[in-house]
Amino acid sequence: MEATGSVGEAPGGRRVLVVGGGIAGLGAAQRLCGHSAFPHLRVLEATARAGGRIRSERSFGGVVEVGAHWIHGPSRGNPVFQLAAEYGLLGEKELSEENQLVDTGGHVGLPSVSYASSGARVSLQLVAEMATLFYGLIDQTREFLHAAETPVPSVGEYLKKEIGQHVTGWTEDEETRKLKLAVLNSFFNLECCVSGTHSMDLVALAPFGEYTVLPGLDCTFSKGYQGLTNCMVASLPEDTVVFEKPVKTIHWNGSFQEAAFPGETFPVSVECEDGDRFPVHHVIVTVPLGLSTFSVGSLLGLSPSSWRLCRMKKYFCVSPKCSGE
């Protein structure tokens, strides 16, 4: 989300402020730092660390990913993969041409072995059968992208409706039927992780097909995903990122001034929780997953009615469609 204005200009270039020190904010800062037109750049991060939802812990005798786990679709078209390769964070296997060309269709690979809650081993054939059913239906949901109407509002409702029809045709005994449903439930939970949601009922069916699936076999960081954002922070000029600076609200379409730039006016002012204000020409707001749309509207200084109008007209897009990356 960006605000621009033509009021005033700070000596030596325009002032830009990025709200949020997650991978999106750091990526924006990286791109702007390489542009001579934006010499005055700051990133405001609410917490004491950068990385946002990317966080690796090493206090358990190894690397534990608290946030993002893997690169989904690691190939040349994936900017996360490109950065990781540039910083030398991936191994030979992950960087191999063979690995990058694997077409998974956007689906997570099947486990080599599965167990029921009783401890009994589940037939791989049964797991594969349910995977074929589930991911076949997932592929069908993408066909509603340009449809005038959808049969149900959400992906979750569509999947459950279609699965219910398949269940009526199962002829196995009751225990096998329950096992099949349990396996399907596991695929539901896994798809929630891939889609970045608590429930597929919260994912709209109509735009679900907008998600672009990149080739490549999903891969992880042997030394932790956070190594990527650490490298991104290190690549920025010193003091670019200001930590423990939560933003309260953003004031738009004004004529704001700052003592450091006498005679200059700025169209936007970013107000922090501690009372500090940053008058700037441009603001880039990177919204974390899970932040409610009402909170976003409040942050942007919009009334509930104005925010609803912006959402309806798609001036802004807050979409949690993502995966482990």
Side-chain angles (χ1 to χ4, degrees):
M1 303 176 190
E2 180 186 1
T4 63
S6 58
V7 184
E9 182 164 326
R14 302 180 75 77
R15 301 184 70 191
V16 181
L17 190 142
V18 179
V19 178
I23 192 170
L26 296 176
Q30 267 193 328
R31 181 67 63 90
L32 293 175
C33 276
H35 202 298
S36 59
F38 304 104
H40 306 287
L41 173 69
R42 285 289 181 275
V43 178
L44 301 186
E45 166 55 40
T47 69
R49 53 172 290 276
R53 294 298 179 97
I54 295 175
R55 182 173 180 176
S56 306
E57 290 289 344
R58 292 176 172 78
S59 55
F60 304 99
V63 177
V64 176
E65 300 290 12
V66 180
H69 282 61
W70 66 87
I71 301 178
H72 199 36
S75 51
R76 293 176 183 176
N78 188 326
V80 176
F81 175 76
Q82 291 176 339
L83 276 175
E86 178 183 331
Y87 291 130
L89 301 175
L90 301 174
E92 291 184 10
K93 180 180 179 181
E94 289 78 13
L95 294 172
S96 69
E97 192 75 16
E98 180 183 3
N99 197 84
Q100 295 180 48
L101 293 176
V102 174
D103 187 0
T104 65
H107 308 318
V108 179
L110 296 181
S112 57
V113 61
S114 300
Y115 293 94
S117 57
S118 63
R121 192 163 179 165
V122 180
S123 163
L124 289 180
Q125 182 179 351
L126 185 147
V127 174
E129 180 187 345
M130 292 301 97
T132 300
L133 169 60
F134 184 83
Y135 289 123
L137 294 175
I138 284 289
D139 291 337
Q140 286 181 25
T141 62
R142 305 187 191 283
E143 298 174 3
F144 295 101
L145 177 58
H146 300 295
E149 295 182 3
T150 58
V152 290
S154 72
V155 174
E157 290 171 282
Y158 178 81
L159 293 174
K160 285 181 280 191
K161 175 177 174 290
E162 293 296 316
I163 288 172
Q165 294 178 0
H166 280 80
V167 170
T168 59
W170 290 350
T171 58
E172 297 89 349
D173 59 81
E174 185 67 19
E175 286 302 313
T176 302
R177 289 160 60 93
K178 287 182 179 178
L179 186 57
K180 283 187 171 183
L181 289 173
V183 172
L184 286 171
N185 186 60
S186 296
F187 284 123
F188 260 100
N189 292 334
L190 187 58
E191 189 63 30
C192 285
C193 294
V194 172
S195 298
T197 181
H198 294 295
S199 169
M200 295 307 293
D201 289 348
L202 301 176
V203 180
L205 179 58
F208 191 65
E210 293 178 354
Y211 185 65
T212 301
V213 178
L214 297 175
L217 195 59
D218 294 352
C219 63
T220 59
F221 294 80
S222 60
K223 296 183 180 179
Y225 214 131
Q226 193 174 325
L228 177 60
T229 49
N230 288 345
C231 287
M232 294 176 73
V233 172
S235 72
L236 300 175
E238 189 175 0
D239 299 327
T240 296
V241 184
V242 182
F243 295 102
E244 298 185 299
K245 208 72 172 173
V247 171
K248 179 180 180 181
T249 191
I250 301 172
H251 304 278
W252 311 88
N253 302 319
S255 183
F256 306 98
Q257 297 182 331
E258 185 177 13
F261 297 95
E264 300 291 338
T265 54
F266 305 89
V268 187
S269 178
V270 178
E271 181 182 354
C272 297
E273 294 285 356
D274 60 8
D276 285 351
R277 291 178 179 245
F278 295 83
V280 293
H281 294 100
H282 306 273
V283 177
I284 298 175
V285 182
T286 59
V287 182
L289 297 176
L291 190 62
S292 69
T293 55
F294 177 79
S295 298
V296 175
S298 177
L299 171 67
L300 295 174
L302 301 173
S303 67
S305 58
S306 296
W307 174 240
R308 282 194 295 271
L309 180 62
C310 287
R311 291 280 291 152
M312 288 171 60
K313 294 188 175 181
K314 298 184 178 179
Y315 290 154
F316 303 102
C317 180
V318 183
S319 174
K321 178 63 185 172
C322 80
S323 58
E325 79 284 14

